[in-house]
Amino acid sequence: MPELPEVETVRRGITPHLIGHTVEKVVIRHPRLRWAIPATLKKRLPGHAIASVKRRAKYLLIGFGHGTLIIHLGMSGSLRILPAATPAQNHDHFDLILDNGACLRLRDPRRFGAVLWSADASGHPLLKELGPEPLERQFNGAYLHEMSRERRGPVKQFLMDSKVVVGVGNIYVNEALFAAGIHPQRPAGCLTREECTRLATAIKSVLRTAIRAGGTTLRDFTGAEGRPGHFQQKLKVYGRAGEPCPGCGQPILHLRQGQRSSYYCLNCQR
DNA sequence: CTCCGATCCTGATGGC
DNA sequence: TGCCATCAGGATCGGA
């Protein structure tokens, strides 16, 4: 489900309900996510106030005075702010109950998500090797060009490598490659400096537009208040195999790379 | 290093 | 209607 724009949408939605509030209770119903939810959270969090709600890559970082709660939504995770008395449904695995009567609830049917604790989040193994945030200035054509030299693999997989750049998942990489006019199977190392600049610009633009739209809702994504995003109305190629390319009218093609679907226009992407 | 495939898990969908 | 195969927004891990 969630790529950078969806996680950012969730972050913005939950932040005002969390900042400055103290945890009263932690509920763990099903600890077995990608990694087990630490049972120690039940003792570690109550009585502590939330100081910050940040995002790094697709991780949400809920900052306390004594450490950070790290949440990843995996493929199917969602976070909602609900009244604390709301009955849990199937796949509601984790709750943070706050002193304002609100509950931050994680639902994750496929359980690829994670809830972890770190006293020093920036040094955490999952976070410390990550590449730059795509919306920051250091991520640009020069950086992409430098990183892609010697890389023989397809540019699509290159861009989905979180050591290269974070937050770009299967939907937005397809859209960005289309916007930049670059074929997803091009070896990353053969991109020109010019093409890298187009790509970096396209990635930034697609992600910013998607954040403004509240993310993409294909099946069941919603923000913290339960509202869907509407970027799906602006998708130009993702999920559109056989439909006319919005640029030239030729049919959008479908291809599998790794185990993921790629969508592209052979005429507009070279 | 880079690259590829297998893997974790449930649910929706489409073919027969 | 049921059964089975396939696919889905992620990312880590192990081995070549």
Side-chain angles (χ1 to χ4, degrees):
Chain A
M1 171 217 321
E3 301 183 37
L4 186 150
E6 289 75 37
V7 177
E8 181 60 21
T9 297
V10 168
R11 190 192 69 79
R12 293 178 184 187
I14 64 178
T15 298
H17 300 272
L18 301 188
I19 293 286
H21 290 287
T22 296
V23 173
E24 286 192 341
K25 192 179 172 196
V26 173
V27 180
I28 302 172
R29 296 189 193 79
H30 192 147
R32 304 300 304 272
L33 303 185
R34 184 107 168 47
W35 298 280
I37 303 176
T40 52
L41 291 177
K42 290 193 247 184
K43 293 196 173 156
R44 190 165 262 154
L45 298 186
H48 291 272
I50 295 172
S52 61
V53 182
K54 298 180 182 170
R55 179 190 57 73
R56 173 74 174 109
K58 298 171 191 167
Y59 295 93
L60 284 163
L61 306 175
I62 301 185
F64 293 83
H66 60 319
T68 303
L69 190 67
I70 302 172
I71 300 179
H72 195 285
L73 300 176
M75 289 278 260
S76 59
S78 60
L79 279 174
R80 295 283 303 276
I81 296 286
L82 298 164
T86 310
Q89 296 181 36
N90 196 16
H91 308 304
D92 286 345
H93 305 312
F94 177 83
D95 289 349
L96 269 192
I97 295 166
L98 304 169
D99 64 359
N100 57 356
C103 163
L104 177 71
R105 175 165 289 168
L106 174 72
R107 176 175 302 174
D108 186 5
R110 291 179 73 180
R111 290 190 275 123
F112 290 173
V115 177
L116 299 167
W117 176 259
S118 174
D120 167 34
S122 61
H124 192 280
L126 289 172
L127 301 181
K128 72 177 178 203
E129 311 267 316
L130 293 175
E133 288 286 328
L135 296 179
E136 289 184 355
R137 262 210 295 284
Q138 73 224 54
F139 176 74
N140 54 34
Y143 168 81
L144 265 188
H145 191 250
E146 188 194 327
M147 287 296 286
S148 59
R149 299 309 88 188
E150 314 287 314
R151 307 248 337 204
R152 208 51 211 141
V155 60
K156 189 201 180 201
Q157 272 121 305
F158 170 74
L159 293 173
M160 292 179 76
D161 178 348
S162 64
K163 291 196 277 297
V164 173
V165 59
V166 300
V168 183
N170 201 39
I171 294 180
Y172 298 110
V173 74
N174 277 290
E175 294 297 306
L177 285 165
F178 175 77
I182 294 168
H183 192 292
Q185 284 178 315
R186 280 277 297 285
C190 79
L191 296 177
T192 65
R193 170 63 197 265
E194 212 37 34
E195 290 173 320
C196 287
T197 299
R198 288 208 319 263
L199 250 186
T201 304
I203 288 168
K204 289 171 191 279
S205 159
V206 165
L207 294 177
R208 282 203 193 97
T209 308
I211 291 171
R212 253 180 273 125
T216 299
T217 297
L218 294 182
R219 170 172 289 132
D220 54 7
F221 169 75
T222 69
E225 274 90 25
R227 283 191 301 274
H230 54 270
F231 191 76
Q232 63 278 12
Q233 292 157 13
K234 300 192 177 171
L235 294 174
K236 294 199 159 66
V237 291
Y238 183 85
R240 298 197 180 280
E243 296 179 35
C245 167
C248 72
Q250 294 293 304
I252 302 294
L253 302 181
H254 176 258
L255 159 78
R256 285 194 83 74
Q257 295 183 275
Q259 359 266 73
R260 320 302 296 273
S261 276
S262 296
Y263 302 91
Y264 65 103
C265 172
L266 187 54
N267 187 39
C268 298
Q269 293 173 254
R270 306 261 163 197

